[in-house]
Amino acid sequence: MREFVTKRLYQDVEGTCTGRYGYIVAVVAIMDIKMGKIIPGLGSAEFEVQYSAILFKPFRNEVMDAVVNTVNKIGFFASAGPLNIFVSHSLIPADMEFDPHTNPPSFHSEDIKIEKGTLVRVKISGTRIDATEIYAIGTIKEDYLGVIE
Amino acid sequence: MRMPKNRGPARPQAEETLDAARLELGDDFQEAECLLISEVRVLLEAQYDAKKEDKNLKEVYTKTLEYVQKFSRYTNRDTIKEVRALLKPTELEAFECAQLGNLCCSEWEEAKSLVPSIGSKISDDDLDSLLKQMDSLKKYQG
């Protein structure tokens, strides 16, 4: 029974995302499974489980590294694990310009290029959370941010 | 207009008030343990075989695994232990320690700029020394 509840916990909870806890990446340990209670009328049982898990929640003004996925004229999308971060062209240093002619399209200045696959250090400037997903916007327009060598 | 009833434990703060720069992470995360990317890698890799066998590889898990493998700074558990040992005696909070371990800044200005909540919790010289020691660990790890 314990094994069943454990497996159900992994299935139900891992991979979910809420505004409060962010992404539940993986359950690490189960501390306690309380005695099951039958739910009247449904016939199913409810178990209260105490567990610890790895969570990923982005915070405003947090700096993190990310991988660029797509680049277009309004900016670029980068991902940090399950989180997608959009960096608008207004939050990219002014000396970097969008170039649709490079393959793949990129933002570049004289000596730096941002294209799919580039590693960038981004600061989260805001997050929006709906029921099951987190949307983040970021900036690379400050000191020590931008392309990672 | 109905006022929402306050039910159960403390309501989570509005997201707008949370701010990493001021180390305001909300009740749920303020006292939480913060893992280094390298530590997450160890934990997720340990689960990989079991998850693969159960055919329970969720997208969030695989994307996170890929991310931590790409950005992990420390290649073995001993180095991770030593990094933690360097960070522990400082007055820095869990989040700040994890950020320093993950971002691997080369000098104190960079560190204090990227993790502004550090402020004067540690002197510039001490921070510089800490960063150099962490860098050595990374350079000479097995």
Side-chain angles (χ1 to χ4, degrees):
Chain A
M1 196 64 203
R2 201 188 155 93
E3 210 182 293
F4 177 79
V5 172
T6 305
K7 272 204 158 72
R8 257 316 274 276
L9 176 74
Y10 280 98
Q11 274 165 20
D12 287 0
V13 134
E14 287 187 338
T16 59
C17 177
T18 59
R20 182 168 174 183
Y21 298 114
Y23 294 93
I24 299 185
V25 178
V27 172
V28 165
I30 299 201
M31 277 102 78
D32 189 28
I33 303 180
K34 297 221 173 10
M35 277 256 274
K37 289 200 287 238
I38 304 290
I39 303 174
L42 283 179
S44 45
E46 186 182 81
F47 291 83
E48 197 182 297
V49 182
Q50 218 183 16
Y51 66 96
S52 61
I54 300 176
L55 305 178
F56 178 34
K57 177 173 172 169
F59 290 90
R60 188 160 56 92
N61 292 324
E62 179 179 355
V63 173
M64 61 180 71
D65 294 337
V67 182
V68 176
N69 291 127
T70 37
V71 179
N72 59 42
K73 67 178 191 289
I74 56 163
F76 66 83
F77 279 90
S79 62
L83 177 72
N84 284 319
I85 306 167
F86 174 62
V87 179
S88 141
H89 70 90
S90 58
L91 293 178
I92 297 174
D95 63 345
M96 302 201 79
E97 301 228 331
F98 176 65
D99 188 347
H101 304 297
T102 52
N103 190 18
S106 64
F107 269 88
H108 64 85
S109 63
E110 237 181 76
D111 45 354
I112 308 181
K113 183 148 71 144
I114 296 179
E115 59 184 6
K116 183 175 163 80
T118 306
L119 305 186
V120 288
R121 185 157 280 184
V122 178
K123 179 155 111 171
I124 305 290
S125 35
T127 58
R128 188 169 67 80
I129 306 191
D130 71 19
T132 55
E133 232 180 297
I134 307 181
Y135 306 93
I137 46 171
T139 174
I140 57 165
K141 210 171 185 177
E142 295 180 20
D143 291 338
Y144 306 110
L145 301 177
V147 175
I148 303 169
E149 310 293 303
Chain B
M1 177 91 130
R2 268 153 107 229
M3 292 297 281
K5 271 199 204 120
N6 211 341
R7 48 181 98 232
R11 291 165 84 185
Q13 277 106 305
E15 287 301 311
E16 306 81 62
T17 63
L18 305 184
D19 183 357
R22 291 199 308 251
L23 207 58
E24 280 158 24
L25 309 177
D27 291 335
D28 294 319
F29 287 84
Q30 201 67 41
E31 305 297 316
E33 208 183 304
C34 283
L35 298 171
L36 299 172
I37 289 174
S38 303
E39 288 167 328
V40 176
R41 178 190 175 174
V42 170
L43 290 169
L44 294 187
E45 282 182 346
Q47 294 193 359
Y48 183 73
D49 290 334
K51 279 181 152 65
K52 186 141 188 226
E53 214 182 288
D54 288 339
K55 300 203 196 315
N56 191 22
L57 286 174
K58 305 252 173 85
E59 201 182 21
V60 168
Y61 169 86
T62 49
K63 282 188 172 173
T64 310
L65 179 60
E66 211 180 296
Y67 177 80
V68 297
Q69 285 175 331
K70 193 179 217 106
F71 290 106
S72 173
R73 305 281 179 175
Y74 313 108
T75 53
N76 63 54
R77 296 187 193 208
D78 287 329
T79 317
I80 297 175
K81 277 206 191 98
E82 289 180 52
V83 170
R84 280 292 182 188
L86 280 178
L87 291 164
K88 195 160 176 252
T90 63
E91 298 274 295
L92 301 173
E93 300 292 330
F95 177 77
E96 293 160 340
C97 289
Q99 285 293 78
L100 289 182
N102 292 334
L103 299 174
C104 289
C105 305
S106 42
E107 5 112 279
W108 69 264
E109 284 115 329
E110 186 182 356
K112 288 198 179 183
S113 174
L114 298 181
V115 196
S117 63
I118 291 179
S120 48
K121 289 181 198 169
I122 180 175
S123 76
D124 299 345
D125 287 336
D126 285 345
L127 182 52
D128 233 26
S129 158
L130 173 66
L131 293 172
K132 285 186 171 48
Q133 286 177 79
M134 280 167 55
D135 193 48
S136 293
L137 283 176
K138 195 172 58 151
K139 267 208 195 71
Y140 301 115
Q141 62 190 326

